[in-house]
Amino acid sequence: MLTSKLSNAIRLAISTGFVSSVLLYAPTSSAEEETEAKKDLEVISVTGSRIRQPGAVSASPIVSIGEKELGYQQEPEVEQILRTLPSTIPGDGSNVNNGSGGAATINLRGLGSQRSLVLMNGRRMIPYNYNGSVDSSTIPTALIERIDIITGGASAVYGSDAIAGAVNVVLKDDFQGVDLDFKHSETGDGDGDKDSIALTIGSNLEDDKGNVVLSLGWSQRDQILLGDRPLGLLGIETKTGANYEQFLNGEPPIPAPADCSGPNSVESGGSTTAFPTRFAIVGAGTTGSGQFRNDGTLQPDTCSVFNFNPYNFYQTPSERYSATAIAKYNLTDEHKVYSSFNYTNTSVDTQVAPSGTFGSSFNLPLANPLIGDQARQFMIDGATAALAAGSLDDSNWQDVNGNGIVDSEDYLKVQLRRRTLELGARTERYDSAQFQLVTGVTGFFLDDWEYDVSYQYGESNRTTVRGGYTNLTNIQNALDTTDGVTCKNGDSSCVPINLFGGFGTITEEMAGYAQAIALQQQKYSQEIFTATVNGAINFIEIPGAGAPLSMSFGYENRREKGLFEPDECLKLAPASCQGGAGGNQLPISGGFKVDEVFLEGYLPVLDGLPGAETLDVEFGFRWADYDTVGSNETWKLGFNWRPVSDVLVRVMQQQATRAPNVGEIASPVVTGLDNAQQDPCSVANAANIDATLRQLCISTGMTDAQVGNVQDVISGQVQVISGSDPLNPPGAEEAETFTAGIVWTPEFSAVENFTITLDYYDIDIDNIIGNFSAQEILDACYVLGDANECAKINRIGGDLTIAGAGIEQFTTNLKNQRAEGVELGFNFGILLDDMGELQFSGNVNKYLTQESQSSSTARIIDCKGYFSTSCDPVSELRWVQRTSWIWEDFTVSLQWRHIDGVDVEPIEAPNVFEEFRSIESYDYFDLFASYHVTEYMNVTFGIDNMFEKEPPVVGGEAGDTSSNSGNTFPSNYDVLGRQFKMGVKLKF
């Protein structure tokens, strides 16, 4: 009956496209060949199990992207391929600019990249940072044989992190010949070029003793600025829709009035850190606030904001070099050694608009001669009014001469919101070098038991250079002058700075002293020793089952270390020396060690009976002992039941886990920025402040006069205080995952390889490691009246946007996160006689649940079918479908990508312009064609987004900073327009 199992397995193997399958690797087809395959160690290996045996099938649903589909995509970046899958939500990548880590991450089921384990040939890949994230751009695409994505917890097999599932990239390890692959793409606007070259050379050793493969690769991606597209040319306000009409009419942003003019100085749709400079007295709210004019006068009304959009990237530039070597050598007929080495060097640039003084506060001498007489008197008058109102005291006023009145001898603590365009754009360059070595020996003992002992070591080294930022300490020194030539601190290098007007008041000499360039370095290492044995326990066989119990036993020791070292500039608190960087950074040094023992079993129960052609049970258990969070246990139990030959039913229940990574257990307390919609105690909500809310505002450090009189959230961000919770460090996450599905493989005379799969999944995670969002804490305090949450709010002068203020959002264990849904896959081909073959494949995902809750008192955040500052767009229904015509040496293929419509989360709808509250369904069509010119040469051509569908418009504050940019969601929707692709592959 084993042959029957193999026959059924082959029929379920993937021939094209995206199909949820129980088996992805086509085994040999005769008993004699099966025996030889076992001797050559080339037996079936199914992702999600360490048991290797002919005919094995998985009880968990698996989606596979085969080599043919990889060719259709014509992408040198794995992340770009995986993001089209309905089972993924875009993570970090080429379309993330502000908030990017300069990497490409994978996010399964929208549960976070940290809960998606990335493997290469079934082994963990080295993370690129202390948060344990894997940069998928380091995967050598030219060597990929297939990519398997397994849904649900796989912790019993692979250990921590595989909660949402695992992505296993299977590389070719038996390549022979020479393969030279060129790829080029560019947009219909003639920009955004992507080029790649890959050379792969492989050969069998003498007497077929083994195989050696070497692959070298280079790729380059050009930048596309927001200003290169009409949608990104100007900032559109999510709340009011300001500038939306100008965009629809194809008009440029409305410039600021002449007395407030300057580069990218506009009337609306931008940042209040602008030019000319905006002025406010810290703690005085709107009393005495105003904006300078280009002539140096200071007026109470505001006249401009800064359009920061054009400087940002829709597509970040990068360059990558890689080298991968894979070798195996048969020591004897029973034993072989193997090794692989992968090295990648990447450079990624991100860029945002020029820096500024933002919400920083400064002690300003009113005797500074660079302040005009009118402006000085305006400041004095405003401070005098604040003194009378009770909002001016020794916290924001130095009465130098002690006369009890505000005059030119005094100092005021003020906010000067000035965009320092003279310093150039803010840039971050990520230079990374990463390598991973795997070596081991495998073979057979006791006739048919297989062993595998391996050692792997990986290391990632990253340097980040940050330029174009303001040096806030130096600016404070430069403001403290009474002669306009020298600074009060006595530093001869200090150049007094003029922030009291518009563009051009900062000279080259002033800019030289006022700017800051900072450096940070990061190193991560991973060391793993693994030993496994697996084989059949022949004396344990259920009568009539057709095969005995197969078992796998193993031990793994894993050590991971992370190191982060910022320079002295970045360490300064509360906001480092870099204005516009969002806070300070401190060194991180930590790691963990874990010892794990595990076992798996595969037990055939029934075979060849009516109503039970086969029934197999799959089980596993893993015990892990961490030196950080102690021990935990994971397990799996499932079955495959084939009532008739063409129907397979599969069920799997698992308990999965994720231990905290280095960043989650070792991060010091620092300041930074996070997204928020509104401060309920600010001037924007003044009309809604009742007596109860007023008292809650006062309980968080505001005076009565400040309530309803401080500035609101700036550009959708507030100051936060983050890091590992010093009093309550996070423990491990725990998840219950359940999958159940059916696979139907009927035989039709006119149809080949017909396969339909339908699977249900439920991933329920408790004690998720994370932090409350800033808005959650604000709402818990001011809406729910939770005193514990109010205690996390720290204000300066009643404000939350000033450096040093902040909302405490320490990393700890939150309550719950859950993803539930159904996934449909299909695949079949139709023979057209002399006209070749039509092939159809597709994958459809429908979410039933996509929600999280931080605590029992916090609201449930339901992201299914919504977008918001808490939810990246999560379409309830997504699919990808491919139709291909293959005729002799010619192939044409059309891919249809569907993204269901989404609405703004109801709780945020009142603060969103009506036309931005819904995004319609999107359908993209991508065309591919290839032709084998000769036996050795194949040319390809493709058009993505064939009909050049424009992305949705939602403004710049509809989501979090990393996902919502350029007035849309650039990772979720095609923002670059139509893209043309071509390639040439030479194979000898």
Side-chain angles (χ1 to χ4, degrees):
M1 299 305 296
L2 182 58
T3 304
S4 174
K5 286 186 178 182
L6 290 170
S7 175
N8 289 326
I10 291 172
R11 288 170 52 203
L12 292 172
I14 305 306
S15 60
T16 62
F18 306 102
V19 179
S20 180
S21 166
V22 295
L23 182 64
L24 306 171
Y25 184 90
T28 52
S29 57
S30 73
E32 181 179 351
E33 288 173 328
E34 290 151 22
T35 303
E36 290 302 315
K38 184 181 292 186
K39 294 299 184 181
D40 292 338
L41 308 180
E42 296 292 336
V43 292
I44 298 170
S45 178
V46 180
T47 294
S49 175
R50 294 179 184 272
I51 295 177
R52 302 178 185 177
Q53 65 171 19
V57 293
S58 171
S60 295
I62 299 174
V63 170
S64 182
I65 305 175
E67 188 174 1
K68 183 180 292 185
E69 176 63 34
L70 294 172
Y72 291 158
Q73 297 277 351
Q74 300 184 87
E75 272 289 348
E77 302 173 76
V78 169
E79 182 267 338
Q80 290 286 332
I81 297 171
L82 294 180
R83 72 162 58 174
T84 64
L85 285 176
S87 59
T88 64
I89 299 292
D92 198 355
S94 61
N95 303 119
V96 178
N97 181 51
N98 191 4
S100 173
T105 60
I106 299 168
N107 182 3
L108 295 178
R109 305 296 180 195
L111 295 173
S113 61
Q114 69 272 38
R115 297 179 186 90
S116 305
L117 184 61
V118 183
L119 309 166
M120 187 183 295
N121 288 334
R123 303 176 187 275
R124 288 175 177 268
M125 291 186 64
I126 172 73
Y128 79 90
N129 66 358
Y130 54 80
N131 288 322
S133 299
V134 169
D135 183 0
S136 65
S137 71
T138 63
I139 297 171
T141 52
L143 275 178
I144 297 176
E145 180 177 288
R146 71 178 193 273
I147 304 173
D148 298 342
I149 302 99
I150 184 169
T151 294
S155 292
V157 178
Y158 299 119
S160 178
D161 305 336
I163 285 183
V167 177
N168 184 24
V169 181
V170 181
L171 302 183
K172 305 169 187 175
D173 63 353
D174 57 356
F175 182 82
Q176 297 185 64
V178 178
D179 191 320
L180 185 59
D181 192 8
F182 302 86
K183 289 186 177 73
H184 171 79
S185 71
E186 63 181 69
T187 73
D189 292 293
D191 58 6
D193 290 20
K194 290 196 287 187
D195 295 283
S196 66
I197 303 174
L199 173 64
T200 304
I201 303 172
S203 175
N204 281 347
L205 301 178
E206 187 177 0
D207 298 326
D208 289 333
K209 283 281 190 177
N211 182 268
V212 177
V213 180
L214 173 65
S215 184
L216 305 174
W218 169 85
S219 68
Q220 181 172 284
R221 183 178 68 221
D222 290 350
Q223 70 181 39
I224 297 180
L225 292 165
L226 266 61
D228 294 332
R229 295 292 185 272
L231 178 57
L233 189 59
L234 70 164
I236 298 174
E237 291 184 4
T238 296
K239 185 173 184 178
T240 66
N243 282 335
Y244 183 50
E245 195 66 31
Q246 281 71 34
F247 164 71
L248 292 179
N249 294 334
E251 300 170 357
I254 299 175
D259 59 347
C260 290
S261 61
N264 287 300
S265 184
V266 295
E267 185 178 277
S268 62
S271 169
T272 55
T273 299
F275 47 75
T277 306
R278 290 197 177 195
F279 170 85
I281 301 171
V282 173
T286 57
T287 302
S289 65
Q291 187 169 9
F292 281 88
R293 299 302 191 262
N294 290 337
D295 62 3
T297 61
L298 181 55
Q299 304 297 330
D301 61 314
T302 57
C303 59
S304 70
V305 292
F306 180 73
N307 180 20
F308 54 80
N309 262 35
Y311 299 89
N312 290 256
F313 289 134
Y314 271 137
Q315 177 171 285
T316 57
S318 74
E319 187 171 23
R320 180 176 77 242
Y321 296 89
S322 65
T324 302
I326 303 175
K328 58 185 179 181
Y329 181 76
N330 297 329
L331 298 172
T332 68
D333 290 342
E334 301 288 336
H335 308 280
K336 76 172 179 181
V337 293
Y338 59 87
S339 185
S340 66
F341 179 80
N342 173 247
Y343 172 82
T344 308
N345 184 287
T346 61
S347 295
V348 178
D349 291 297
T350 63
Q351 174 180 291
V352 294
S355 189
T357 54
F358 295 96
S360 300
S361 59
F362 302 99
N363 287 316
L364 177 67
L366 292 175
N368 187 321
L370 299 176
I371 304 173
D373 292 339
Q374 183 274 340
R376 182 180 295 106
Q377 191 59 50
F378 182 96
M379 295 177 186
I380 293 173
D381 292 344
T384 301
L387 181 63
S391 58
L392 193 74
D393 54 32
D394 58 7
S395 68
N396 52 6
W397 172 42
Q398 294 179 38
D399 186 8
V400 175
N401 53 19
N403 61 3
I405 62 173
V406 182
D407 55 34
S408 61
E409 300 297 317
D410 298 343
Y411 279 71
L412 291 178
K413 179 174 283 190
V414 302
Q415 284 183 296
L416 298 172
R417 291 188 172 275
R418 208 301 194 157
R419 187 69 61 159
T420 52
L421 190 68
E422 295 89 343
L423 275 61
R426 284 169 288 170
T427 60
E428 294 195 33
R429 181 178 179 86
Y430 301 91
D431 290 310
S432 303
Q434 182 172 310
F435 72 87
Q436 185 160 337
L437 170 69
V438 178
T439 186
V441 58
T442 185
F444 289 93
F445 66 102
L446 298 179
D447 189 35
D448 59 355
W449 275 77
E450 183 182 26
Y451 71 90
D452 191 327
V453 179
S454 66
Y455 171 81
Q456 71 180 80
Y457 179 79
E459 194 172 292
S460 176
N461 294 277
R462 166 172 288 208
T463 300
T464 305
V465 179
R466 302 154 53 120
Y469 291 83
T470 49
N471 187 316
L472 297 176
T473 302
N474 284 8
I475 288 179
Q476 172 63 77
N477 294 337
L479 287 170
D480 194 4
T481 179
T482 55
D483 62 8
V485 178
T486 61
C487 304
K488 296 290 284 292
N489 68 347
D491 183 356
S492 60
S493 66
C494 179
V495 181
I497 192 168
N498 184 355
L499 300 181
F500 313 110
F503 177 69
T505 61
I506 300 177
T507 66
E508 186 176 342
E509 292 76 15
M510 293 176 185
Y513 180 72
Q515 68 179 326
I517 296 175
L519 180 73
Q520 60 188 38
Q521 293 184 305
Q522 196 169 160
K523 179 178 179 179
Y524 200 91
S525 65
Q526 182 186 73
E527 187 176 20
I528 304 174
F529 171 79
T530 307
T532 64
V533 295
N534 74 81
I537 302 179
N538 293 318
F539 63 87
I540 301 180
E541 180 177 343
I542 296 176
L549 170 68
S550 294
M551 291 291 297
S552 172
F553 303 92
Y555 165 77
E556 187 167 279
N557 174 271
R558 178 161 54 98
R559 298 170 184 263
E560 303 199 16
K561 296 179 181 178
L563 175 69
F564 172 73
E565 185 61 45
D567 66 9
E568 295 302 316
C569 165
L570 294 173
K571 294 178 185 177
L572 298 175
S576 86
C577 72
Q578 291 201 319
N584 70 318
Q585 299 183 31
L586 294 174
I588 297 174
S589 181
F592 60 86
K593 180 185 73 172
V594 56
D595 290 290
E596 301 177 271
V597 292
F598 50 88
L599 63 85
E600 280 187 84
Y602 192 87
L603 178 64
V605 177
L606 300 174
D607 190 25
L609 299 178
E613 185 162 312
T614 61
L615 176 63
D616 303 320
V617 173
E618 182 180 335
F619 59 90
F621 177 81
R622 177 182 287 255
W623 178 83
D625 183 26
Y626 286 83
D627 63 356
T628 52
V629 294
S631 62
N632 61 52
E633 300 171 351
T634 59
W635 53 266
K636 69 173 182 175
L637 178 62
F639 68 84
N640 294 304
W641 170 44
R642 193 180 298 279
V644 292
S645 61
D646 56 8
V647 176
L648 176 73
V649 178
R650 55 190 180 193
V651 176
M652 176 66 79
Q653 176 75 43
Q654 302 191 61
Q655 178 174 295
T657 187
R658 186 178 81 84
N661 55 49
V662 174
E664 291 166 337
I665 59 178
S667 290
V669 176
V670 295
T671 59
L673 295 173
D674 192 24
N675 297 101
Q677 268 211 323
Q678 187 181 71
D679 176 2
C681 302
S682 72
V683 65
N685 195 49
N688 301 315
I689 298 177
D690 57 18
T692 300
L693 178 54
R694 179 172 292 275
Q695 289 304 311
L696 287 170
C697 295
I698 292 172
S699 75
T700 57
M702 303 183 76
T703 67
D704 186 70
Q706 290 167 345
V707 177
N709 198 33
V710 298
Q711 60 191 333
D712 194 32
V713 172
I714 303 297
S715 298
Q717 294 181 316
V718 293
Q719 295 282 335
V720 295
I721 301 168
S722 61
S724 302
D725 192 332
L727 300 178
N728 186 27
E733 298 178 348
E734 296 180 351
E736 297 289 335
T737 72
F738 176 77
T739 60
I742 186 169
V743 182
W744 185 38
T745 55
E747 292 185 359
F748 300 110
S749 58
V751 179
E752 284 196 330
N753 300 318
F754 188 94
T755 303
I756 291 182
T757 66
L758 180 64
D759 289 281
Y760 166 82
Y761 60 87
D762 186 2
I763 305 168
D764 196 357
I765 314 168
D766 290 328
N767 300 318
I768 58 172
I769 303 170
N771 51 261
F772 291 88
S773 72
Q775 193 65 56
E776 275 186 310
I777 295 171
L778 289 170
D779 292 343
C781 173
Y782 300 122
V783 177
L784 301 177
D786 190 329
N788 291 327
E789 299 305 301
C790 290
K792 298 178 180 178
I793 300 173
N794 304 280
R795 295 177 179 270
I796 290 181
D799 208 311
L800 285 175
T801 63
I802 298 175
I807 298 172
E808 296 176 3
Q809 47 172 203
F810 297 130
T811 301
T812 186
N813 289 104
L814 306 179
K815 184 181 179 184
N816 181 265
Q817 189 173 12
R818 186 183 180 199
E820 177 194 21
V822 291
E823 192 161 35
L824 171 72
F826 61 88
N827 178 68
F828 62 92
I830 299 176
L831 295 177
L832 302 177
D833 297 326
D834 294 338
M835 294 301 295
E837 180 181 6
L838 281 177
Q839 295 181 347
F840 301 88
S841 63
N843 185 257
V844 184
N845 180 76
K846 179 178 175 60
Y847 280 113
L848 303 176
T849 306
Q850 231 294 344
E851 62 185 29
S852 63
Q853 187 177 20
S854 297
S855 71
S856 57
T857 58
R859 72 178 180 91
I860 295 175
I861 300 175
D862 181 5
C863 291
K864 184 190 70 174
Y866 294 116
F867 67 90
S868 68
T869 55
S870 300
C871 302
D872 289 355
V874 179
S875 296
E876 185 174 348
L877 181 68
R878 284 180 63 196
W879 71 66
V880 60
Q881 190 277 322
R882 182 174 292 283
T883 302
S884 303
W885 175 43
I886 302 171
W887 179 48
E888 296 181 349
D889 293 326
F890 183 62
T891 298
V892 177
S893 184
L894 179 69
Q895 179 176 250
W896 175 15
R897 294 178 281 139
H898 174 81
I899 305 172
D900 228 22
V902 289
D903 300 317
V904 68
E905 198 181 358
I907 196 172
E908 294 189 7
N911 290 316
V912 174
F913 185 57
E914 186 173 357
E915 292 190 44
F916 298 164
R917 293 177 185 174
S918 295
I919 298 175
E920 65 179 5
S921 294
Y922 266 67
D923 292 279
Y924 295 107
F925 294 91
D926 310 323
L927 183 67
F928 168 87
S930 72
Y931 181 68
H932 285 277
V933 180
T934 69
E935 180 182 354
Y936 308 106
M937 180 177 173
N938 185 52
V939 295
T940 61
F941 179 76
I943 306 175
D944 286 355
N945 189 7
M946 240 188 351
F947 301 111
E948 200 165 13
K949 189 169 179 62
E950 298 291 337
V953 183
V954 294
E957 300 83 35
D960 64 77
T961 306
S962 61
S963 64
N964 177 206
S965 176
N967 304 310
T968 188
F969 293 99
S971 294
N972 301 78
Y973 301 93
D974 291 6
V975 294
L976 308 182
R978 188 181 292 119
Q979 294 188 69
F980 297 93
K981 300 179 177 181
M982 65 168 294
V984 178
K985 176 175 282 193
L986 303 175
K987 193 168 185 178
F988 305 97

